[in-house]
Structures are given as structure tokens and as C-alpha cells.
Amino acid sequence: MQIIRDIAMLRRAVSALQQGGKSVALVPTMGALHAGHLSLVRMGKRVADHVIVSIFVNPTQFGPNEDFAAYPRDEDRDAALLVEEGVSLLWAPDVATMYPGGHSTHVEVAELGADYCGAARPGHFDGVATVVSKLFNQVRPDVAIFGEKDWQQLAIIRRMARDLDFALDILGAPIARDSDGLALSSRNAYLSKDQRAAAVAFPNALKAAAKAIAGGADIAETLAKAEADIVAGGFDSVDYVALADAESLERLSLFRKPARLLAAARMGKTRLIDNLAVA
Ligand code: AMP
């Protein structure tokens, strides 16, 4: 596996991979890889001849009081995992390569980025849309793969790719979960043993709420109960638990399909997100 940090070298390496009409899948990540990321790589291997993974902890998607400095980084470990998965190229630019001095162009997906995590993390999705559009232009893949774990992010990237005519397919991969049901996340590493055990209250509350809503329960009452259950389970606060149209992300007060339950909750300094189909 080649590890590349320079844009000109990346362009040459991608062209070489594409020789003979071979296709390329891109899996963008911030590193601290877990089985969820590796499931995206495996999907990439199924749909394309080569998989390129990017690792870039993107400063512009972190707020001033968020965990950019503390975010877990271990490139050697990540690279070893990617070699085992048969990844062709690791694109690992530094901040100065991604944002050279004077960088002043941003991408904003206004309609989809305002609510949910966008409300709790102002500027977050502008940072995501900007860096992902840069990654698309740098690598120029045939397909890019994102996790359904970040449902709002996936919806925003699909909309951005459509709106800006990026010539690639966007694929979503199902959420990989631990055996107790907690969605895998690099941020789970912040949880103490006791916090990790308690965190199962989060997916459990969402599962119960999704079942209740599909069964015809009152939506406002069900969402309020889910919030109360998450706090009773040991979380300090809930940013949101919402029922949304799965594509437009519009909040739903009446159940109609396709719908998605979206949620974010905080335990100590750790903020976790999750979502579920309501079917
Ligand atoms: P991150 O490194 O957290 O920015 O995530 C990189 C990509 O992996 C994003 O497309 C995420 O949605 C995806 N991802 C993260 N956790 C999971 C998971 N548990 N299951 C599936 N995809 C995931």
C-alpha cells in the first residue's frame, strides 16, 4: 500500500491505478479505524478495482471547544489494518497541504445542514462539505463510500454531489455495531469502562422508540420518552432525538416512510450520535 501526502504524487498514483480502465473507490475517514470503517473498505473492494482510503482529521469541522486536539491519531496502526484489507493507497495529507495559506473557499449545503448536528455544532457541516469536495477533486474516484452512522452527513454529501455535479456515485454502508448494539465510533474510546457499559442505553432507547412509532405510538410522547430513557441510562444530556424524513431530513410530526430516527447525546465530554430506520 502506498502512503502519499503530496497532491502531485497522489494524482500520478491515482492515474497509474486507473490504467486499463480500472475503477477507484474512495473511503474518507479521520483515522482511529474500527470495524465500521473497515466495512466501508470491504464495500469499496466489492464495487471497484482499487480502494483508496483518506485519513485527515479535518480542523474545519471541529468547533473551538471540541475535541480536535484530543481526537485519537495512530497512523501506523491504521495503515497496518488497511494493508490487511488490501487497500491500494492511503492518502494522508497534512493540514498545510489541505489548507494552504489563503484558503478561503467553502461549500455550504444550506438546507440540510442547519438542524440536528448542524444546530449543535455550528459550521461543522460546512467543514465536512468543503473537505469532502476537496477530497473528491484530489482523488477523482468513481465511487465514494460513507457510513449511514452519520446519516445527516451522508444526506448532505449526496445533495452536494448532485448540486455541484460531481461525477461519481455515493454509496452508504450500514451501521456497524458492537455486540451490545452501541454503534462503533472512534469517540467510544473516550468512554471509561463504566460509561461504555452504560452507553448501551442510547441504542436501546432508539430501538424502543422506532418500534413504538412504527406501531402507531404518539411521536412527540415517544421522542420525549426516548430522551428521558437516555438520561436515566446515564447520559448527561440529549442534543436531539428526532423523527425525520430519511432523505429531506424534514422533521416529521406524523409517521410516513421512509423515516429515520436521528439522535445525539452527551456523556461527560463524549458526544455520541446514532440513527435507525423506522419501518
Ligand atoms: P470518521 O472517521 O468518524 O469521520 O468516519 C469515516 C467514515 O466511516 C464515515 O463515512 C462514517 O460514517 C463511517 N463510519 C463511522 N463509524 C461507522 C459505523 N459504526 N458503521 C458504519 N460506518 C461508520
Side-chain angles (χ1 to χ4, degrees):
M1 182 180 74
Q2 307 173 73
I3 301 180
I4 296 185
R5 306 178 197 282
D6 171 88
I7 291 184
M9 283 175 66
L10 174 74
R11 291 246 153 89
R12 282 198 294 278
V14 174
S15 297
L17 291 177
Q18 288 171 328
Q19 289 267 317
K22 297 260 199 282
S23 58
V24 164
L26 171 67
V27 177
T29 80
M30 298 204 301
L33 301 180
H34 52 62
H37 299 110
L38 301 184
S39 74
L40 272 55
V41 170
R42 285 177 202 156
M43 181 178 274
K45 298 272 295 181
R46 287 198 295 276
V47 300
D49 297 306
H50 290 288
V51 176
I52 297 180
V53 172
S54 62
I55 295 182
F56 180 64
V57 185
N58 176 34
T60 68
Q61 70 189 69
F62 289 79
N65 300 315
E66 293 185 354
D67 56 342
F68 175 70
Y71 199 82
R73 291 164 172 89
D74 189 345
E75 189 186 292
D76 291 345
R77 177 186 165 277
D78 290 345
L81 289 170
L82 297 176
V83 167
E84 265 175 50
E85 295 293 330
V87 167
S88 300
L89 192 161
L90 170 58
W91 170 226
D94 63 13
V95 173
T97 300
M98 193 60 94
Y99 299 112
H103 184 275
S104 53
T105 307
H106 297 277
V107 179
E108 181 192 351
V109 183
E111 188 187 321
L112 295 175
D115 203 352
Y116 314 114
C117 284
R121 306 182 68 190
H124 168 68
F125 285 120
D126 297 355
V128 170
T130 302
V131 82
V132 169
S133 63
K134 287 170 67 66
L135 290 167
F136 287 175
N137 282 328
Q138 290 162 351
V139 177
R140 284 177 280 180
D142 300 282
V143 46
I145 301 170
F146 295 85
E148 292 182 350
K149 157 90 189 326
D150 299 86
W151 189 267
Q152 186 177 15
Q153 169 175 283
L154 177 59
I156 285 171
I157 288 163
R158 283 189 198 284
R159 181 73 62 89
M160 177 188 85
R162 189 205 68 178
D163 288 354
L164 297 182
D165 305 300
F166 279 104
L168 82 175
D169 293 325
I170 308 288
L171 294 183
I175 302 177
R177 296 180 180 279
D178 247 338
S179 52
D180 65 352
L182 184 69
L184 297 179
S185 165
S186 306
R187 290 189 167 98
N188 292 353
Y190 297 150
L191 300 172
S192 70
K193 202 158 166 264
D194 288 350
Q195 287 178 320
R196 171 61 192 82
V200 69
F202 189 28
N204 283 349
L206 298 184
K207 251 184 283 170
K211 195 167 164 213
I213 291 168
D218 179 84
I219 289 172
E221 274 172 27
T222 305
L223 298 179
K225 178 175 183 321
E227 289 200 17
D229 287 349
I230 292 165
V231 171
F235 281 78
D236 294 300
S237 62
V238 172
D239 278 2
Y240 60 88
V241 177
L243 184 71
D245 180 286
E247 281 152 32
S248 72
L249 305 187
E250 176 199 344
R251 283 190 190 241
L252 298 179
S253 49
L254 291 174
F255 176 44
R256 64 157 204 258
K257 291 186 202 174
R260 203 89 191 173
L261 205 53
L262 307 176
R266 296 175 194 258
M267 188 184 276
K269 287 186 183 145
T270 308
R271 182 177 184 276
L272 298 181
I273 61 172
D274 202 346
N275 67 87
L276 272 187
V278 184

